[in-house]
Amino acid sequence: MSNQKIQISIKPDENGFIGRECLVCKRYFKLKQGTGLPTNHCHCPYCDYEGDQDTFWTSDQIEYAKSIATKIAYEQFIEPAFEKLKKSFEQLEESTKNSFIKIEVKTSRDKPFFPIKYYSESELETNIICDSCKLEFAIYGVFSRCPDCEHLNAFSIFKKSIEVCNKQFQLFSVYKNDDEITTTNLKFILGNAISSFDALGKELRKKIKEKFPEKPRNLFQNIDELEKVMLNSFSVDLRNEISDFAFLKQMFQVRHIFEHNMGVIDSDFVKKVPSYENLLNRKYKLTIIEVERFLLIINELGDLIESQIKKIYT
Ligand SMILES: [Zn+2]
Ligand SMILES: [Zn+2]
């Protein structure tokens, strides 16, 4: 029998997404057909593997296709061949009916059962629309590169987190709270904004290793070190480029004492923000104006880093 091709179609889920599995890291994602770039090429959103779309079938899809193909192969090729063989034996039987040597053929054969291995696509954790090529895709986790255009979504995720901080801020401002609750809320928003910036940094260090060194560990929480890295890797001086860099640095220190020293100004804080020397061992009084301003400046810092990366990589 010559080589025969059987075409099996893999249908998308009820939302138009088709499951994909990386050949290398074996992780699962989904993308919506008809969105993004007109390409047959695909890039794993988790690792660096890239290849033809045909190399991204999931194990479930392959098992399903194999089960259908086996059934079709049997029905279209094997069964007719059996029938043909049976017929030729019957003819032989008929032609030897009156001969000295008679040939009798008995066939007993049950039609085999071929179960179809149905599957359904899995639910994922984050749905993303690529900022750059508009591909709709879904992943586990939060950060990724776009499977079509490789655009990094880390900055969009960061900006969204800062938007959420702004919303929390507006929500808290509606109520007239006592000082202690106001400070707790402000500390919470400040902490969230810095954590989002730190998460952005971790992702950038994973994806752009050549520009963001492994050490120090908490580079995006240590604004003095980040200043050095931006200067070395991008020739950008944060002190000149950020509208109030001294204030930004101060707020990172404020977060530090709220996290580790109950908001009390310590000698380390004074070393970094000398104008607070007369308030040593006193509680830092975090204000609404400061947090509002901080959210604007941290966004500005994110935009600056993004523009520098774009300059080099696009
Ligand atoms: Zn992968
Ligand atoms: Zn894209």
Side-chain angles (χ1 to χ4, degrees):
M1 187 165 53
S2 60
N3 278 344
Q4 301 284 346
K5 274 193 181 162
I6 298 171
Q7 233 173 10
I8 316 280
S9 62
I10 300 290
K11 291 201 171 58
D13 67 11
E14 66 279 13
N15 299 313
F17 284 83
I18 191 151
R20 311 269 64 195
E21 189 182 295
C22 172
L23 201 62
V24 174
C25 71
K26 306 285 175 208
R27 295 181 71 193
Y28 176 82
F29 61 101
K30 289 196 289 195
L31 42 87
K32 193 169 190 172
Q33 289 177 312
T35 63
L37 301 176
T39 174
N40 272 331
H41 206 68
C42 189
H43 191 280
C44 170
Y46 308 110
C47 76
D48 284 333
Y49 173 72
E50 54 183 324
D52 197 89
Q53 286 279 8
D54 269 352
T55 60
F56 282 87
W57 298 115
T58 69
S59 350
D60 283 348
Q61 288 163 347
I62 292 170
E63 286 307 310
Y64 167 76
K66 269 193 205 162
S67 67
I68 298 249
T70 312
K71 190 171 187 293
I72 293 177
Y74 182 83
E75 287 168 0
Q76 285 188 3
F77 310 115
I78 300 170
E79 178 81 25
F82 265 130
E83 285 306 315
K84 218 167 141 189
L85 191 66
K86 197 175 141 200
K87 246 185 208 125
S88 69
F89 277 125
E90 280 165 3
Q91 278 165 5
L92 189 67
E93 194 180 87
E94 181 65 25
S95 64
T96 59
K97 196 161 64 177
N98 300 318
S99 315
F100 178 64
I101 300 167
K102 279 186 191 169
I103 293 177
E104 254 180 54
V105 181
K106 278 200 176 118
T107 55
S108 124
R109 189 169 59 85
D110 287 333
K111 201 176 168 188
F113 174 62
F114 296 102
I116 304 299
K117 294 182 181 166
Y118 291 103
Y119 68 96
S120 59
E121 299 296 1
S122 308
E123 281 303 312
L124 289 165
E125 291 166 347
T126 309
N127 286 319
I128 299 166
I129 300 177
C130 172
D131 279 348
S132 178
C133 75
K134 306 293 171 215
L135 176 77
E136 291 181 41
F137 61 108
I139 54 163
Y140 284 118
V142 174
F143 293 114
S144 75
R145 277 192 190 279
C146 168
D148 271 11
C149 73
E150 294 181 42
H151 177 74
L152 199 61
N153 77 338
F155 288 101
S156 334
I157 300 286
F158 170 66
K159 277 178 209 157
K160 268 189 200 142
S161 312
I162 298 298
E163 264 174 48
V164 171
C165 290
N166 269 310
K167 280 185 189 148
Q168 286 167 338
F169 189 77
Q170 284 157 17
L171 198 71
F172 291 146
S173 312
V174 171
Y175 302 101
K176 195 107 198 97
N177 293 313
D178 64 28
D179 281 357
E180 206 171 319
I181 291 177
T182 300
T183 305
T184 306
N185 287 342
L186 293 176
K187 181 187 127 185
F188 174 75
I189 297 169
L190 178 68
N192 277 358
I194 293 180
S195 296
S196 306
F197 186 66
D198 190 38
L200 167 73
K202 283 193 179 115
E203 187 58 19
L204 294 180
R205 294 172 95 183
K206 254 194 263 165
K207 298 277 159 60
I208 313 175
K209 291 190 176 97
E210 63 281 14
K211 291 287 176 192
F212 298 100
E214 253 178 63
K215 283 183 182 158
R217 244 184 79 238
N218 297 322
L219 177 64
F220 278 66
Q221 284 181 38
N222 186 338
I223 215 79
D224 285 326
E225 289 300 324
L226 185 62
E227 183 192 331
K228 286 181 206 157
V229 168
M230 289 304 289
L231 200 58
N232 289 339
S233 298
F234 299 94
S235 307
V236 164
D237 190 344
L238 295 183
R239 287 170 302 178
N240 299 331
E241 298 294 330
I242 295 296
S243 54
D244 193 344
F245 187 62
F247 172 73
L248 186 82
K249 263 172 76 168
Q250 177 176 324
M251 295 313 282
F252 271 76
Q253 285 313 117
V254 169
R255 190 254 187 155
H256 191 80
I257 53 169
F258 272 109
E259 285 290 316
H260 304 289
N261 205 34
M262 301 289 287
V264 174
I265 296 167
D266 57 12
S267 53
D268 192 41
F269 185 95
V270 170
K271 211 157 73 190
K272 287 184 173 144
V273 194
S275 59
Y276 276 73
E277 198 178 356
N278 59 336
L279 291 172
L280 180 68
N281 298 326
R282 299 270 297 275
K283 265 188 148 182
Y284 188 95
K285 194 158 175 27
L286 185 59
T287 68
I288 292 175
I289 293 170
E290 280 177 323
V291 173
E292 198 173 22
R293 190 148 166 244
F294 176 75
L295 293 178
L296 282 175
I297 299 182
I298 192 97
N299 226 353
E300 195 187 314
L301 179 58
D303 286 345
L304 176 71
I305 298 172
E306 185 178 16
S307 68
Q308 293 305 314
I309 291 174
K310 268 191 183 156
K311 251 191 224 169
I312 295 173
Y313 295 99
T314 49

